PDB file of all heavy atoms in Angstrom:
ATOM      1  N   ASP F 330      67.682  21.419  75.431  1.00 94.00           N
ATOM      2  CA  ASP F 330      68.038  20.019  75.164  1.00 94.00           C
ATOM      3  C   ASP F 330      69.432  19.742  75.515  1.00 94.00           C
ATOM      4  O   ASP F 330      69.775  18.725  76.194  1.00 94.00           O
ATOM      5  CB  ASP F 330      67.839  19.744  73.642  1.00 94.00           C
ATOM      6  CG  ASP F 330      66.367  19.540  73.273  1.00 94.00           C
ATOM      7  OD1 ASP F 330      65.549  19.455  74.178  1.00 94.00           O
ATOM      8  OD2 ASP F 330      66.075  19.429  72.077  1.00 94.00           O
ATOM      9  N   ASP F 340      66.426  19.624  86.143  1.00 94.00           N
ATOM     10  CA  ASP F 340      65.019  19.722  85.714  1.00 94.00           C
ATOM     11  C   ASP F 340      64.884  21.160  85.178  1.00 94.00           C
ATOM     12  O   ASP F 340      65.734  22.041  85.329  1.00 94.00           O
ATOM     13  CB  ASP F 340      64.097  19.509  86.889  1.00 94.00           C
ATOM     14  CG  ASP F 340      62.672  19.326  86.477  1.00 94.00           C
ATOM     15  OD1 ASP F 340      62.384  19.238  85.273  1.00 94.00           O
ATOM     16  OD2 ASP F 340      61.749  19.357  87.354  1.00 94.00           O
ATOM     17  N   GLY F 341      63.715  21.412  84.544  1.00 95.00           N
ATOM     18  CA  GLY F 341      63.576  22.802  84.065  1.00 95.00           C
ATOM     19  C   GLY F 341      62.134  22.945  83.580  1.00 95.00           C
ATOM     20  O   GLY F 341      61.423  21.993  83.350  1.00 95.00           O
ATOM     21  N   GLY F 345      55.188  28.455  78.896  1.00 89.00           N
ATOM     22  CA  GLY F 345      54.313  28.244  77.720  1.00 89.00           C
ATOM     23  C   GLY F 345      53.512  29.459  77.376  1.00 89.00           C
ATOM     24  O   GLY F 345      52.948  29.539  76.361  1.00 89.00           O
ATOM     25  N   SER F 347      52.614  33.846  78.782  1.00 90.00           N
ATOM     26  CA  SER F 347      53.091  34.989  79.522  1.00 90.00           C
ATOM     27  C   SER F 347      52.727  34.831  81.038  1.00 90.00           C
ATOM     28  O   SER F 347      53.431  35.327  81.898  1.00 90.00           O
ATOM     29  CB  SER F 347      52.572  36.327  78.988  1.00 90.00           C
ATOM     30  OG  SER F 347      51.219  36.267  79.059  1.00 90.00           O
TER      31      SER F 347
ATOM     32  N   ASP S  12      48.271  35.288  73.158  1.00 93.00           N
ATOM     33  CA  ASP S  12      48.567  35.344  74.633  1.00 93.00           C
ATOM     34  C   ASP S  12      47.816  36.425  75.352  1.00 93.00           C
ATOM     35  O   ASP S  12      47.710  37.577  74.817  1.00 93.00           O
ATOM     36  CB  ASP S  12      50.103  35.442  74.855  1.00 93.00           C
ATOM     37  CG  ASP S  12      50.439  35.197  76.329  1.00 93.00           C
ATOM     38  OD1 ASP S  12      50.336  36.169  77.108  1.00 93.00           O
ATOM     39  OD2 ASP S  12      50.924  34.156  76.628  1.00 93.00           O
ATOM     40  N   ALA S  14      48.473  38.434  77.685  1.00 88.00           N
ATOM     41  CA  ALA S  14      49.224  39.656  78.003  1.00 88.00           C
ATOM     42  C   ALA S  14      49.511  40.618  76.870  1.00 88.00           C
ATOM     43  O   ALA S  14      49.933  41.683  77.081  1.00 88.00           O
ATOM     44  CB  ALA S  14      50.485  39.301  78.773  1.00 88.00           C
ATOM     45  N   THR S 192      57.461  20.408  82.229  1.00 92.00           N
ATOM     46  CA  THR S 192      58.873  20.363  82.635  1.00 92.00           C
ATOM     47  C   THR S 192      59.689  19.839  81.439  1.00 92.00           C
ATOM     48  O   THR S 192      59.163  19.247  80.544  1.00 92.00           O
ATOM     49  CB  THR S 192      59.057  19.410  83.791  1.00 92.00           C
ATOM     50  OG1 THR S 192      58.753  18.082  83.338  1.00 92.00           O
ATOM     51  CG2 THR S 192      58.236  19.746  85.015  1.00 92.00           C
ATOM     52  N   LEU S 193      60.999  20.213  81.468  1.00 92.00           N
ATOM     53  CA  LEU S 193      61.819  19.836  80.304  1.00 92.00           C
ATOM     54  C   LEU S 193      61.840  18.374  80.019  1.00 92.00           C
ATOM     55  O   LEU S 193      61.769  17.969  78.855  1.00 92.00           O
ATOM     56  CB  LEU S 193      63.213  20.454  80.567  1.00 92.00           C
ATOM     57  CG  LEU S 193      63.280  21.955  80.464  1.00 92.00           C
ATOM     58  CD1 LEU S 193      64.740  22.385  80.630  1.00 92.00           C
ATOM     59  CD2 LEU S 193      62.726  22.448  79.202  1.00 92.00           C
ATOM     60  N   PRO S 194      62.060  17.530  81.079  1.00 91.00           N
ATOM     61  CA  PRO S 194      62.161  16.097  80.774  1.00 91.00           C
ATOM     62  C   PRO S 194      60.785  15.610  80.098  1.00 91.00           C
ATOM     63  O   PRO S 194      60.858  14.825  79.237  1.00 91.00           O
ATOM     64  CB  PRO S 194      62.244  15.447  82.181  1.00 91.00           C
ATOM     65  CG  PRO S 194      62.837  16.493  82.994  1.00 91.00           C
ATOM     66  CD  PRO S 194      62.336  17.805  82.552  1.00 91.00           C
ATOM     67  N   LYS S 200      58.075  14.550  72.684  1.00 93.00           N
ATOM     68  CA  LYS S 200      58.465  14.458  71.256  1.00 93.00           C
ATOM     69  C   LYS S 200      58.218  13.097  70.708  1.00 93.00           C
ATOM     70  O   LYS S 200      58.020  12.943  69.504  1.00 93.00           O
ATOM     71  CB  LYS S 200      59.936  14.841  71.106  1.00 93.00           C
ATOM     72  CG  LYS S 200      60.208  16.263  71.393  1.00 93.00           C
ATOM     73  CD  LYS S 200      61.660  16.662  71.049  1.00 93.00           C
ATOM     74  CE  LYS S 200      61.805  18.130  71.520  1.00 93.00           C
ATOM     75  NZ  LYS S 200      63.179  18.497  71.579  1.00 93.00           N
TER      76      LYS S 200
END
Side-chain angles (χ1 to χ4, degrees):
Chain F
D330 281 352
D340 192 9
S347 58
Chain S
D12 189 281
T192 65
L193 292 183
K200 291 188 186 162

